[in-house]
Amino acid sequence: MSKPVILTGLRANNDLHIGNYFGAMLPIIDTAKQRAGEYQVNMFIPDLHSFTTEIDHSQLQGHVMNNARLYVASGLPLDNHDILLYRQSYVPAHSELTWILDCFTAMGEMSRMTQFKDKSSKLGDRIGVGLFNYPVLMACDILLYGAQYVPVGDDQTQHLEFTRDIAGRMNSKFDDLFTVPHEVAKQHEFFGKGQGLRIMDLADPGKKMSKSADSDKGVIFLTDNPEVAHKKIMSATTDDLASVNYNPIEQPGISNLIQILALLRGHPIDDVEQAYKGMDKYGDFKRIVADEMKQFLGDFQSKLSGVSDDAIHGAFKRSEEVANEQANQTLLRVQRAVGLRPKES
Ligand code: TYM
């Protein structure tokens, strides 16, 4: 890893939605396009994370390829040696380091993770151990490559903070083993954002847009038929204040639409709010957002249909070789530190 590393991954367990796209894919892909050369960009598919909640395993291979195609359609270049595209399970060091770091992680730390608490409240005792210690695997994904910048949506911030904690703890116990990723505020600054992104469900704007939502009504998938997506926006839940304003507490639905429009245009929220502030016909405002979404999805899907699977397989092969080499170096350093391998003489 001679260059600083930027890294992110998106679970392959369903189609990706616009929250995944704007929260994690676009920031890293924009950086990959503009700054590869200065940085190594790792875009990976956390397939081991895919079944921390129940999935149809016969579909997993398909979902992994689907994720890779979505990355490429979003603009990930495959012909640049500073950019790696790999599958987590093809780099066994991820699992090995997870076991080691599990032994330095407290049950209490994992139990406090909001995402775990949310999901366990639904599943009770049936919750898998994999979901419980999923942040440790995520920390290993990051630490194996010494990644400094990790673009993620707001819901993953706590896991990033845990990564910093465990890295710092291991460094003080065993000398400098790991590069600690930058603190969250610095991450936002690097990706040109004031804060973490959280796109809300269109039908229930009190909840984040999620792949595992009970209903698809409020979720716009990147592969949604553009007409269907248009309808989802036209039926988005709003409020009865009849005035377009960006106020996520009082007007979460309208604020979410303002945010989505700002992201589609690549403009600051303030600019979009100013352009439509006070507009009293929500239907008209929704139509503006819905039309732009329809256009975006149409363009995206035409790129998606041109993605070559052969190019993806080629990138996997090349990248997984490099990823294994880099990850194994870190793993060996840790194995030596914890006494699993003799110290270097
Ligand atoms: P996952 O697969 O649930 O989500 C992928 C990315 O999308 C972001 N995201 C959102 N951003 C904004 N608004 C939303 N509504 C929204 N929903 C999801 C997530 O924050 C995430 O960045 N544990 C991770 C995957 C992972 C990973 C990693 C990420 C595994 N190892 C190492 C970074 C580094 C996850 O489950 O994300």
mmCIF file with all atom_site columns, all heavy atoms in Angstrom, residues 8-11 17 19-20 24 44 49 134 138 141 152-153 155-156 197-199 209 211, ligand 1:
data_model
loop_
_atom_site.group_PDB
_atom_site.id
_atom_site.type_symbol
_atom_site.label_atom_id
_atom_site.label_alt_id
_atom_site.label_comp_id
_atom_site.label_asym_id
_atom_site.label_entity_id
_atom_site.label_seq_id
_atom_site.pdbx_PDB_ins_code
_atom_site.Cartn_x
_atom_site.Cartn_y
_atom_site.Cartn_z
_atom_site.occupancy
_atom_site.B_iso_or_equiv
_atom_site.pdbx_formal_charge
_atom_site.auth_seq_id
_atom_site.auth_comp_id
_atom_site.auth_asym_id
_atom_site.auth_atom_id
_atom_site.pdbx_PDB_model_num
ATOM   1   N N   . THR A 1 8   ? -14.523 1.356   0.305  1.00 0.00 ? 8   THR A N   1
ATOM   2   C CA  . THR A 1 8   ? -15.889 1.114   0.783  1.00 0.00 ? 8   THR A CA  1
ATOM   3   C C   . THR A 1 8   ? -16.451 -0.166  0.174  1.00 0.00 ? 8   THR A C   1
ATOM   4   O O   . THR A 1 8   ? -15.929 -0.694  -0.814 1.00 0.00 ? 8   THR A O   1
ATOM   5   C CB  . THR A 1 8   ? -16.838 2.308   0.543  1.00 0.00 ? 8   THR A CB  1
ATOM   6   O OG1 . THR A 1 8   ? -17.889 2.247   1.508  1.00 0.00 ? 8   THR A OG1 1
ATOM   7   C CG2 . THR A 1 8   ? -17.489 2.324   -0.836 1.00 0.00 ? 8   THR A CG2 1
ATOM   8   N N   . GLY A 1 9   ? -17.516 -0.667  0.806  1.00 0.00 ? 9   GLY A N   1
ATOM   9   C CA  . GLY A 1 9   ? -18.179 -1.871  0.309  1.00 0.00 ? 9   GLY A CA  1
ATOM   10  C C   . GLY A 1 9   ? -19.679 -1.758  0.521  1.00 0.00 ? 9   GLY A C   1
ATOM   11  O O   . GLY A 1 9   ? -20.136 -1.051  1.429  1.00 0.00 ? 9   GLY A O   1
ATOM   12  N N   . LEU A 1 10  ? -20.428 -2.447  -0.321 1.00 0.00 ? 10  LEU A N   1
ATOM   13  C CA  . LEU A 1 10  ? -21.901 -2.439  -0.181 1.00 0.00 ? 10  LEU A CA  1
ATOM   14  C C   . LEU A 1 10  ? -22.355 -3.889  -0.218 1.00 0.00 ? 10  LEU A C   1
ATOM   15  O O   . LEU A 1 10  ? -21.982 -4.633  -1.147 1.00 0.00 ? 10  LEU A O   1
ATOM   16  C CB  . LEU A 1 10  ? -22.556 -1.649  -1.319 1.00 0.00 ? 10  LEU A CB  1
ATOM   17  C CG  . LEU A 1 10  ? -22.206 -0.159  -1.327 1.00 0.00 ? 10  LEU A CG  1
ATOM   18  C CD1 . LEU A 1 10  ? -21.092 0.155   -2.302 1.00 0.00 ? 10  LEU A CD1 1
ATOM   19  C CD2 . LEU A 1 10  ? -23.418 0.670   -1.690 1.00 0.00 ? 10  LEU A CD2 1
ATOM   20  N N   . ARG A 1 11  ? -23.112 -4.261  0.783  1.00 0.00 ? 11  ARG A N   1
ATOM   21  C CA  . ARG A 1 11  ? -23.543 -5.654  0.889  1.00 0.00 ? 11  ARG A CA  1
ATOM   22  C C   . ARG A 1 11  ? -24.320 -6.091  -0.342 1.00 0.00 ? 11  ARG A C   1
ATOM   23  O O   . ARG A 1 11  ? -25.142 -5.332  -0.858 1.00 0.00 ? 11  ARG A O   1
ATOM   24  C CB  . ARG A 1 11  ? -24.455 -5.836  2.110  1.00 0.00 ? 11  ARG A CB  1
ATOM   25  C CG  . ARG A 1 11  ? -23.712 -6.299  3.321  1.00 0.00 ? 11  ARG A CG  1
ATOM   26  C CD  . ARG A 1 11  ? -24.641 -6.409  4.492  1.00 0.00 ? 11  ARG A CD  1
ATOM   27  N NE  . ARG A 1 11  ? -25.524 -5.261  4.560  1.00 0.00 ? 11  ARG A NE  1
ATOM   28  C CZ  . ARG A 1 11  ? -26.766 -5.310  5.011  1.00 0.00 ? 11  ARG A CZ  1
ATOM   29  N NH1 . ARG A 1 11  ? -27.283 -6.439  5.416  1.00 0.00 ? 11  ARG A NH1 1
ATOM   30  N NH2 . ARG A 1 11  ? -27.504 -4.219  5.067  1.00 0.00 ? 11  ARG A NH2 1
ATOM   31  N N   . HIS A 1 17  ? -30.087 0.708   -3.593 1.00 0.00 ? 17  HIS A N   1
ATOM   32  C CA  . HIS A 1 17  ? -31.056 1.798   -3.744 1.00 0.00 ? 17  HIS A CA  1
ATOM   33  C C   . HIS A 1 17  ? -30.322 3.144   -3.790 1.00 0.00 ? 17  HIS A C   1
ATOM   34  O O   . HIS A 1 17  ? -29.098 3.206   -3.647 1.00 0.00 ? 17  HIS A O   1
ATOM   35  C CB  . HIS A 1 17  ? -32.108 1.748   -2.629 1.00 0.00 ? 17  HIS A CB  1
ATOM   36  C CG  . HIS A 1 17  ? -31.548 1.728   -1.238 1.00 0.00 ? 17  HIS A CG  1
ATOM   37  N ND1 . HIS A 1 17  ? -30.887 2.798   -0.689 1.00 0.00 ? 17  HIS A ND1 1
ATOM   38  C CD2 . HIS A 1 17  ? -31.539 0.756   -0.286 1.00 0.00 ? 17  HIS A CD2 1
ATOM   39  C CE1 . HIS A 1 17  ? -30.508 2.502   0.540  1.00 0.00 ? 17  HIS A CE1 1
ATOM   40  N NE2 . HIS A 1 17  ? -30.887 1.266   0.809  1.00 0.00 ? 17  HIS A NE2 1
ATOM   41  N N   . GLY A 1 19  ? -30.097 5.455   -1.681 1.00 0.00 ? 19  GLY A N   1
ATOM   42  C CA  . GLY A 1 19  ? -29.354 5.780   -0.446 1.00 0.00 ? 19  GLY A CA  1
ATOM   43  C C   . GLY A 1 19  ? -27.950 5.203   -0.521 1.00 0.00 ? 19  GLY A C   1
ATOM   44  O O   . GLY A 1 19  ? -26.960 5.875   -0.224 1.00 0.00 ? 19  GLY A O   1
ATOM   45  N N   . ASN A 1 20  ? -27.860 3.935   -0.962 1.00 0.00 ? 20  ASN A N   1
ATOM   46  C CA  . ASN A 1 20  ? -26.547 3.308   -1.124 1.00 0.00 ? 20  ASN A CA  1
ATOM   47  C C   . ASN A 1 20  ? -25.721 4.074   -2.159 1.00 0.00 ? 20  ASN A C   1
ATOM   48  O O   . ASN A 1 20  ? -24.515 4.291   -1.988 1.00 0.00 ? 20  ASN A O   1
ATOM   49  C CB  . ASN A 1 20  ? -26.680 1.860   -1.638 1.00 0.00 ? 20  ASN A CB  1
ATOM   50  C CG  . ASN A 1 20  ? -27.515 0.966   -0.747 1.00 0.00 ? 20  ASN A CG  1
ATOM   51  O OD1 . ASN A 1 20  ? -28.375 0.246   -1.216 1.00 0.00 ? 20  ASN A OD1 1
ATOM   52  N ND2 . ASN A 1 20  ? -27.274 1.004   0.545  1.00 0.00 ? 20  ASN A ND2 1
ATOM   53  N N   . ALA A 1 24  ? -22.627 6.050   -0.447 1.00 0.00 ? 24  ALA A N   1
ATOM   54  C CA  . ALA A 1 24  ? -21.315 5.396   -0.462 1.00 0.00 ? 24  ALA A CA  1
ATOM   55  C C   . ALA A 1 24  ? -20.707 5.265   -1.855 1.00 0.00 ? 24  ALA A C   1
ATOM   56  O O   . ALA A 1 24  ? -19.510 5.460   -2.036 1.00 0.00 ? 24  ALA A O   1
ATOM   57  C CB  . ALA A 1 24  ? -21.437 4.009   0.179  1.00 0.00 ? 24  ALA A CB  1
ATOM   58  N N   . PHE A 1 44  ? -15.106 -2.904  -2.761 1.00 0.00 ? 44  PHE A N   1
ATOM   59  C CA  . PHE A 1 44  ? -15.229 -4.355  -2.657 1.00 0.00 ? 44  PHE A CA  1
ATOM   60  C C   . PHE A 1 44  ? -16.668 -4.769  -2.380 1.00 0.00 ? 44  PHE A C   1
ATOM   61  O O   . PHE A 1 44  ? -17.518 -3.936  -2.074 1.00 0.00 ? 44  PHE A O   1
ATOM   62  C CB  . PHE A 1 44  ? -14.248 -4.901  -1.610 1.00 0.00 ? 44  PHE A CB  1
ATOM   63  C CG  . PHE A 1 44  ? -14.675 -4.676  -0.192 1.00 0.00 ? 44  PHE A CG  1
ATOM   64  C CD1 . PHE A 1 44  ? -15.203 -5.727  0.561  1.00 0.00 ? 44  PHE A CD1 1
ATOM   65  C CD2 . PHE A 1 44  ? -14.583 -3.428  0.392  1.00 0.00 ? 44  PHE A CD2 1
ATOM   66  C CE1 . PHE A 1 44  ? -15.612 -5.537  1.864  1.00 0.00 ? 44  PHE A CE1 1
ATOM   67  C CE2 . PHE A 1 44  ? -14.997 -3.225  1.695  1.00 0.00 ? 44  PHE A CE2 1
ATOM   68  C CZ  . PHE A 1 44  ? -15.507 -4.274  2.432  1.00 0.00 ? 44  PHE A CZ  1
ATOM   69  N N   . HIS A 1 49  ? -20.692 -10.448 4.592  1.00 0.00 ? 49  HIS A N   1
ATOM   70  C CA  . HIS A 1 49  ? -21.678 -9.665  5.338  1.00 0.00 ? 49  HIS A CA  1
ATOM   71  C C   . HIS A 1 49  ? -23.102 -9.896  4.811  1.00 0.00 ? 49  HIS A C   1
ATOM   72  O O   . HIS A 1 49  ? -24.071 -9.528  5.477  1.00 0.00 ? 49  HIS A O   1
ATOM   73  C CB  . HIS A 1 49  ? -21.385 -8.157  5.209  1.00 0.00 ? 49  HIS A CB  1
ATOM   74  C CG  . HIS A 1 49  ? -20.391 -7.633  6.199  1.00 0.00 ? 49  HIS A CG  1
ATOM   75  N ND1 . HIS A 1 49  ? -19.122 -7.250  5.861  1.00 0.00 ? 49  HIS A ND1 1
ATOM   76  C CD2 . HIS A 1 49  ? -20.482 -7.410  7.530  1.00 0.00 ? 49  HIS A CD2 1
ATOM   77  C CE1 . HIS A 1 49  ? -18.484 -6.809  6.935  1.00 0.00 ? 49  HIS A CE1 1
ATOM   78  N NE2 . HIS A 1 49  ? -19.286 -6.904  7.962  1.00 0.00 ? 49  HIS A NE2 1
ATOM   79  N N   . TYR A 1 134 ? -20.694 -8.387  13.360 1.00 0.00 ? 134 TYR A N   1
ATOM   80  C CA  . TYR A 1 134 ? -20.487 -7.844  12.017 1.00 0.00 ? 134 TYR A CA  1
ATOM   81  C C   . TYR A 1 134 ? -19.597 -6.597  11.998 1.00 0.00 ? 134 TYR A C   1
ATOM   82  O O   . TYR A 1 134 ? -18.771 -6.436  11.117 1.00 0.00 ? 134 TYR A O   1
ATOM   83  C CB  . TYR A 1 134 ? -21.869 -7.700  11.426 1.00 0.00 ? 134 TYR A CB  1
ATOM   84  C CG  . TYR A 1 134 ? -22.316 -6.550  10.604 1.00 0.00 ? 134 TYR A CG  1
ATOM   85  C CD1 . TYR A 1 134 ? -23.147 -6.792  9.509  1.00 0.00 ? 134 TYR A CD1 1
ATOM   86  C CD2 . TYR A 1 134 ? -21.992 -5.226  10.882 1.00 0.00 ? 134 TYR A CD2 1
ATOM   87  C CE1 . TYR A 1 134 ? -23.622 -5.751  8.735  1.00 0.00 ? 134 TYR A CE1 1
ATOM   88  C CE2 . TYR A 1 134 ? -22.457 -4.194  10.116 1.00 0.00 ? 134 TYR A CE2 1
ATOM   89  C CZ  . TYR A 1 134 ? -23.268 -4.459  9.040  1.00 0.00 ? 134 TYR A CZ  1
ATOM   90  O OH  . TYR A 1 134 ? -23.720 -3.442  8.258  1.00 0.00 ? 134 TYR A OH  1
ATOM   91  N N   . MET A 1 138 ? -16.278 -5.766  9.638  1.00 0.00 ? 138 MET A N   1
ATOM   92  C CA  . MET A 1 138 ? -16.186 -4.496  8.896  1.00 0.00 ? 138 MET A CA  1
ATOM   93  C C   . MET A 1 138 ? -14.888 -3.759  9.254  1.00 0.00 ? 138 MET A C   1
ATOM   94  O O   . MET A 1 138 ? -14.214 -3.199  8.382  1.00 0.00 ? 138 MET A O   1
ATOM   95  C CB  . MET A 1 138 ? -17.410 -3.635  9.213  1.00 0.00 ? 138 MET A CB  1
ATOM   96  C CG  . MET A 1 138 ? -17.391 -2.297  8.552  1.00 0.00 ? 138 MET A CG  1
ATOM   97  S SD  . MET A 1 138 ? -19.039 -1.550  8.547  1.00 0.00 ? 138 MET A SD  1
ATOM   98  C CE  . MET A 1 138 ? -18.633 0.144   8.152  1.00 0.00 ? 138 MET A CE  1
ATOM   99  N N   . ASP A 1 141 ? -12.130 -5.357  7.370  1.00 0.00 ? 141 ASP A N   1
ATOM   100 C CA  . ASP A 1 141 ? -12.154 -4.952  5.943  1.00 0.00 ? 141 ASP A CA  1
ATOM   101 C C   . ASP A 1 141 ? -11.351 -3.670  5.743  1.00 0.00 ? 141 ASP A C   1
ATOM   102 O O   . ASP A 1 141 ? -10.698 -3.485  4.720  1.00 0.00 ? 141 ASP A O   1
ATOM   103 C CB  . ASP A 1 141 ? -13.593 -4.643  5.488  1.00 0.00 ? 141 ASP A CB  1
ATOM   104 C CG  . ASP A 1 141 ? -14.530 -5.831  5.578  1.00 0.00 ? 141 ASP A CG  1
ATOM   105 O OD1 . ASP A 1 141 ? -14.045 -6.968  5.578  1.00 0.00 ? 141 ASP A OD1 1
ATOM   106 O OD2 . ASP A 1 141 ? -15.762 -5.604  5.659  1.00 0.00 ? 141 ASP A OD2 1
ATOM   107 N N   . VAL A 1 152 ? -19.156 6.233   3.849  1.00 0.00 ? 152 VAL A N   1
ATOM   108 C CA  . VAL A 1 152 ? -20.326 5.417   4.212  1.00 0.00 ? 152 VAL A CA  1
ATOM   109 C C   . VAL A 1 152 ? -21.473 6.363   4.536  1.00 0.00 ? 152 VAL A C   1
ATOM   110 O O   . VAL A 1 152 ? -21.256 7.543   4.820  1.00 0.00 ? 152 VAL A O   1
ATOM   111 C CB  . VAL A 1 152 ? -20.060 4.519   5.456  1.00 0.00 ? 152 VAL A CB  1
ATOM   112 C CG1 . VAL A 1 152 ? -19.213 3.312   5.125  1.00 0.00 ? 152 VAL A CG1 1
ATOM   113 C CG2 . VAL A 1 152 ? -19.457 5.310   6.616  1.00 0.00 ? 152 VAL A CG2 1
ATOM   114 N N   . GLY A 1 153 ? -22.675 5.831   4.516  1.00 0.00 ? 153 GLY A N   1
ATOM   115 C CA  . GLY A 1 153 ? -23.829 6.615   4.935  1.00 0.00 ? 153 GLY A CA  1
ATOM   116 C C   . GLY A 1 153 ? -23.803 6.768   6.456  1.00 0.00 ? 153 GLY A C   1
ATOM   117 O O   . GLY A 1 153 ? -23.021 6.112   7.163  1.00 0.00 ? 153 GLY A O   1
ATOM   118 N N   . ASP A 1 155 ? -25.690 5.748   8.730  1.00 0.00 ? 155 ASP A N   1
ATOM   119 C CA  . ASP A 1 155 ? -25.985 4.569   9.567  1.00 0.00 ? 155 ASP A CA  1
ATOM   120 C C   . ASP A 1 155 ? -24.751 3.737   9.878  1.00 0.00 ? 155 ASP A C   1
ATOM   121 O O   . ASP A 1 155 ? -24.791 2.894   10.772 1.00 0.00 ? 155 ASP A O   1
ATOM   122 C CB  . ASP A 1 155 ? -27.050 3.690   8.875  1.00 0.00 ? 155 ASP A CB  1
ATOM   123 C CG  . ASP A 1 155 ? -26.595 3.193   7.510  1.00 0.00 ? 155 ASP A CG  1
ATOM   124 O OD1 . ASP A 1 155 ? -25.993 3.982   6.758  1.00 0.00 ? 155 ASP A OD1 1
ATOM   125 O OD2 . ASP A 1 155 ? -26.826 2.019   7.202  1.00 0.00 ? 155 ASP A OD2 1
ATOM   126 N N   . GLN A 1 156 ? -23.656 3.948   9.152  1.00 0.00 ? 156 GLN A N   1
ATOM   127 C CA  . GLN A 1 156 ? -22.451 3.152   9.401  1.00 0.00 ? 156 GLN A CA  1
ATOM   128 C C   . GLN A 1 156 ? -21.401 3.902   10.222 1.00 0.00 ? 156 GLN A C   1
ATOM   129 O O   . GLN A 1 156 ? -20.313 3.388   10.471 1.00 0.00 ? 156 GLN A O   1
ATOM   130 C CB  . GLN A 1 156 ? -21.826 2.716   8.063  1.00 0.00 ? 156 GLN A CB  1
ATOM   131 C CG  . GLN A 1 156 ? -22.709 1.803   7.234  1.00 0.00 ? 156 GLN A CG  1
ATOM   132 C CD  . GLN A 1 156 ? -22.896 0.438   7.875  1.00 0.00 ? 156 GLN A CD  1
ATOM   133 O OE1 . GLN A 1 156 ? -22.002 -0.097  8.502  1.00 0.00 ? 156 GLN A OE1 1
ATOM   134 N NE2 . GLN A 1 156 ? -24.089 -0.117  7.735  1.00 0.00 ? 156 GLN A NE2 1
ATOM   135 N N   . LEU A 1 197 ? -24.720 11.207  5.312  1.00 0.00 ? 197 LEU A N   1
ATOM   136 C CA  . LEU A 1 197 ? -25.950 11.229  4.527  1.00 0.00 ? 197 LEU A CA  1
ATOM   137 C C   . LEU A 1 197 ? -26.909 10.137  4.987  1.00 0.00 ? 197 LEU A C   1
ATOM   138 O O   . LEU A 1 197 ? -26.492 9.006   5.259  1.00 0.00 ? 197 LEU A O   1
ATOM   139 C CB  . LEU A 1 197 ? -25.585 11.002  3.056  1.00 0.00 ? 197 LEU A CB  1
ATOM   140 C CG  . LEU A 1 197 ? -26.737 11.187  2.096  1.00 0.00 ? 197 LEU A CG  1
ATOM   141 C CD1 . LEU A 1 197 ? -27.045 12.662  1.897  1.00 0.00 ? 197 LEU A CD1 1
ATOM   142 C CD2 . LEU A 1 197 ? -26.416 10.549  0.750  1.00 0.00 ? 197 LEU A CD2 1
ATOM   143 N N   . ARG A 1 198 ? -28.169 10.497  5.049  1.00 0.00 ? 198 ARG A N   1
ATOM   144 C CA  . ARG A 1 198 ? -29.210 9.525   5.411  1.00 0.00 ? 198 ARG A CA  1
ATOM   145 C C   . ARG A 1 198 ? -30.442 9.831   4.574  1.00 0.00 ? 198 ARG A C   1
ATOM   146 O O   . ARG A 1 198 ? -31.164 10.793  4.869  1.00 0.00 ? 198 ARG A O   1
ATOM   147 C CB  . ARG A 1 198 ? -29.505 9.640   6.909  1.00 0.00 ? 198 ARG A CB  1
ATOM   148 C CG  . ARG A 1 198 ? -30.505 8.622   7.412  1.00 0.00 ? 198 ARG A CG  1
ATOM   149 C CD  . ARG A 1 198 ? -30.644 8.718   8.927  1.00 0.00 ? 198 ARG A CD  1
ATOM   150 N NE  . ARG A 1 198 ? -29.469 8.230   9.605  1.00 0.00 ? 198 ARG A NE  1
ATOM   151 C CZ  . ARG A 1 198 ? -29.447 7.128   10.374 1.00 0.00 ? 198 ARG A CZ  1
ATOM   152 N NH1 . ARG A 1 198 ? -30.536 6.431   10.566 1.00 0.00 ? 198 ARG A NH1 1
ATOM   153 N NH2 . ARG A 1 198 ? -28.343 6.754   10.973 1.00 0.00 ? 198 ARG A NH2 1
ATOM   154 N N   . ILE A 1 199 ? -30.649 9.064   3.531  1.00 0.00 ? 199 ILE A N   1
ATOM   155 C CA  . ILE A 1 199 ? -31.865 9.243   2.720  1.00 0.00 ? 199 ILE A CA  1
ATOM   156 C C   . ILE A 1 199 ? -32.974 8.472   3.424  1.00 0.00 ? 199 ILE A C   1
ATOM   157 O O   . ILE A 1 199 ? -32.763 7.327   3.857  1.00 0.00 ? 199 ILE A O   1
ATOM   158 C CB  . ILE A 1 199 ? -31.656 8.684   1.306  1.00 0.00 ? 199 ILE A CB  1
ATOM   159 C CG1 . ILE A 1 199 ? -30.455 9.357   0.682  1.00 0.00 ? 199 ILE A CG1 1
ATOM   160 C CG2 . ILE A 1 199 ? -32.924 8.808   0.475  1.00 0.00 ? 199 ILE A CG2 1
ATOM   161 C CD1 . ILE A 1 199 ? -30.681 10.126  -0.530 1.00 0.00 ? 199 ILE A CD1 1
ATOM   162 N N   . MET A 1 209 ? -34.127 4.928   4.301  1.00 0.00 ? 209 MET A N   1
ATOM   163 C CA  . MET A 1 209 ? -34.397 4.062   3.154  1.00 0.00 ? 209 MET A CA  1
ATOM   164 C C   . MET A 1 209 ? -33.524 2.829   3.313  1.00 0.00 ? 209 MET A C   1
ATOM   165 O O   . MET A 1 209 ? -32.318 2.950   3.567  1.00 0.00 ? 209 MET A O   1
ATOM   166 C CB  . MET A 1 209 ? -34.053 4.810   1.855  1.00 0.00 ? 209 MET A CB  1
ATOM   167 C CG  . MET A 1 209 ? -34.509 4.094   0.618  1.00 0.00 ? 209 MET A CG  1
ATOM   168 S SD  . MET A 1 209 ? -34.222 5.051   -0.893 1.00 0.00 ? 209 MET A SD  1
ATOM   169 C CE  . MET A 1 209 ? -35.546 6.223   -0.892 1.00 0.00 ? 209 MET A CE  1
ATOM   170 N N   . LYS A 1 211 ? -32.709 -1.520  2.226  1.00 0.00 ? 211 LYS A N   1
ATOM   171 C CA  . LYS A 1 211 ? -32.946 -2.671  1.348  1.00 0.00 ? 211 LYS A CA  1
ATOM   172 C C   . LYS A 1 211 ? -33.920 -3.646  1.996  1.00 0.00 ? 211 LYS A C   1
ATOM   173 O O   . LYS A 1 211 ? -34.610 -4.383  1.322  1.00 0.00 ? 211 LYS A O   1
ATOM   174 C CB  . LYS A 1 211 ? -31.634 -3.446  1.162  1.00 0.00 ? 211 LYS A CB  1
ATOM   175 C CG  . LYS A 1 211 ? -30.599 -2.771  0.322  1.00 0.00 ? 211 LYS A CG  1
ATOM   176 C CD  . LYS A 1 211 ? -29.323 -3.624  0.297  1.00 0.00 ? 211 LYS A CD  1
ATOM   177 C CE  . LYS A 1 211 ? -28.108 -2.765  0.533  1.00 0.00 ? 211 LYS A CE  1
ATOM   178 N NZ  . LYS A 1 211 ? -26.878 -3.481  0.796  1.00 0.00 ? 211 LYS A NZ  1
HETATM 179 P P1  . TYM B 2 .   ? -24.933 -1.568  3.472  1.00 0.00 ? 1   TYM B P1  1
HETATM 180 O O1  . TYM B 2 .   ? -24.712 -2.601  2.447  1.00 0.00 ? 1   TYM B O1  1
HETATM 181 O O2  . TYM B 2 .   ? -26.084 -1.720  4.393  1.00 0.00 ? 1   TYM B O2  1
HETATM 182 O O3  . TYM B 2 .   ? -25.049 -0.164  2.787  1.00 0.00 ? 1   TYM B O3  1
HETATM 183 C C1  . TYM B 2 .   ? -24.085 0.239   1.836  1.00 0.00 ? 1   TYM B C1  1
HETATM 184 C C2  . TYM B 2 .   ? -23.784 1.700   2.005  1.00 0.00 ? 1   TYM B C2  1
HETATM 185 O O4  . TYM B 2 .   ? -24.958 2.474   1.776  1.00 0.00 ? 1   TYM B O4  1
HETATM 186 C C3  . TYM B 2 .   ? -25.152 3.381   2.850  1.00 0.00 ? 1   TYM B C3  1
HETATM 187 N N1  . TYM B 2 .   ? -26.595 3.579   3.048  1.00 0.00 ? 1   TYM B N1  1
HETATM 188 C C4  . TYM B 2 .   ? -27.195 4.769   3.049  1.00 0.00 ? 1   TYM B C4  1
HETATM 189 N N2  . TYM B 2 .   ? -26.716 6.009   2.879  1.00 0.00 ? 1   TYM B N2  1
HETATM 190 C C5  . TYM B 2 .   ? -27.611 7.027   2.915  1.00 0.00 ? 1   TYM B C5  1
HETATM 191 N N3  . TYM B 2 .   ? -28.938 6.858   3.113  1.00 0.00 ? 1   TYM B N3  1
HETATM 192 C C6  . TYM B 2 .   ? -29.457 5.623   3.296  1.00 0.00 ? 1   TYM B C6  1
HETATM 193 N N4  . TYM B 2 .   ? -30.753 5.450   3.466  1.00 0.00 ? 1   TYM B N4  1
HETATM 194 C C7  . TYM B 2 .   ? -28.568 4.511   3.266  1.00 0.00 ? 1   TYM B C7  1
HETATM 195 N N5  . TYM B 2 .   ? -28.740 3.173   3.407  1.00 0.00 ? 1   TYM B N5  1
HETATM 196 C C8  . TYM B 2 .   ? -27.509 2.620   3.278  1.00 0.00 ? 1   TYM B C8  1
HETATM 197 C C9  . TYM B 2 .   ? -24.522 2.671   4.051  1.00 0.00 ? 1   TYM B C9  1
HETATM 198 O O5  . TYM B 2 .   ? -24.218 3.577   5.072  1.00 0.00 ? 1   TYM B O5  1
HETATM 199 C C10 . TYM B 2 .   ? -23.304 2.057   3.428  1.00 0.00 ? 1   TYM B C10 1
HETATM 200 O O6  . TYM B 2 .   ? -22.258 2.994   3.340  1.00 0.00 ? 1   TYM B O6  1
HETATM 201 N N6  . TYM B 2 .   ? -21.466 -2.808  6.769  1.00 0.00 ? 1   TYM B N6  1
HETATM 202 C C11 . TYM B 2 .   ? -21.708 -2.147  5.532  1.00 0.00 ? 1   TYM B C11 1
HETATM 203 C C12 . TYM B 2 .   ? -20.915 -2.738  4.385  1.00 0.00 ? 1   TYM B C12 1
HETATM 204 C C13 . TYM B 2 .   ? -19.482 -2.863  4.700  1.00 0.00 ? 1   TYM B C13 1
HETATM 205 C C14 . TYM B 2 .   ? -18.519 -1.831  4.661  1.00 0.00 ? 1   TYM B C14 1
HETATM 206 C C15 . TYM B 2 .   ? -17.304 -2.453  5.033  1.00 0.00 ? 1   TYM B C15 1
HETATM 207 C C16 . TYM B 2 .   ? -18.576 -0.480  4.365  1.00 0.00 ? 1   TYM B C16 1
HETATM 208 C C17 . TYM B 2 .   ? -18.854 -4.013  5.049  1.00 0.00 ? 1   TYM B C17 1
HETATM 209 N N7  . TYM B 2 .   ? -17.542 -3.760  5.261  1.00 0.00 ? 1   TYM B N7  1
HETATM 210 C C18 . TYM B 2 .   ? -16.127 -1.707  5.129  1.00 0.00 ? 1   TYM B C18 1
HETATM 211 C C19 . TYM B 2 .   ? -17.396 0.255   4.445  1.00 0.00 ? 1   TYM B C19 1
HETATM 212 C C20 . TYM B 2 .   ? -16.196 -0.366  4.828  1.00 0.00 ? 1   TYM B C20 1
HETATM 213 C C21 . TYM B 2 .   ? -23.166 -2.267  5.182  1.00 0.00 ? 1   TYM B C21 1
HETATM 214 O O7  . TYM B 2 .   ? -23.836 -3.165  5.618  1.00 0.00 ? 1   TYM B O7  1
HETATM 215 O O8  . TYM B 2 .   ? -23.596 -1.362  4.318  1.00 0.00 ? 1   TYM B O8  1
#
